[in-house]
Amino acid sequence: SRRLFDIFVAEVPWTVSRKELKEYFSQFGSVQRCQLPFDRDTGFHKRYCWIKFSTSQEAQNVFQKDCHILEGAKLTLRPQSHRRRSQRKSQSD
């Protein structure tokens, strides 16, 4: 099974960019991808993102740290389950 993303991050401050997120999470390992969805109507990002690391060990490193704060805001992180495709199917039934 192909892994999509390792970590889901919520409560991302409006002022934080994809580049800043990538830089922040790079301290834990090699960030392969950071997906920060934008709202077409407002032009702002939706305040959540997904981070993908090169290895699962690097993703685990993130959870060794108790608290993640960017620009004064505490981020909410959770490991991403890698079953997005099957979840999507059940939603459209």
Side-chain angles (χ1 to χ4, degrees):
S1 69
R2 209 173 116 246
R3 291 177 349 135
L4 296 171
F5 290 93
D6 297 306
I7 298 172
F8 176 77
V9 183
E11 310 299 324
V12 177
W14 295 113
T15 50
V16 173
S17 69
R18 194 175 74 87
K19 182 175 179 269
E20 288 171 296
L21 284 161
K22 241 181 142 168
E23 282 171 11
Y24 175 79
F25 285 102
S26 289
Q27 68 183 294
F28 304 102
S30 174
V31 176
Q32 282 196 317
R33 195 159 166 226
C34 172
Q35 186 173 330
L36 182 66
F38 275 78
D39 184 312
R40 273 191 227 126
D41 298 329
T42 66
F44 291 105
H45 66 69
K46 296 183 178 184
R47 299 198 63 216
Y48 58 85
C49 72
W50 289 273
I51 305 287
K52 180 171 179 28
F53 286 94
S54 297
T55 70
S56 56
Q57 182 54 56
E58 291 169 341
Q60 289 309 306
N61 293 343
V62 175
F63 293 101
Q64 303 303 311
K65 187 174 177 187
D66 288 341
C67 183
H68 297 275
I69 295 174
L70 267 181
E71 299 197 3
K74 187 176 179 193
L75 304 177
T76 303
L77 276 68
R78 64 174 183 259
Q80 181 70 8
S81 64
H82 301 290
R83 297 182 314 209
R84 282 180 41 184
R85 212 169 264 140
S86 59
Q87 285 173 344
R88 204 172 278 151
K89 266 188 197 138
S90 62
Q91 286 173 348
S92 62
D93 288 347

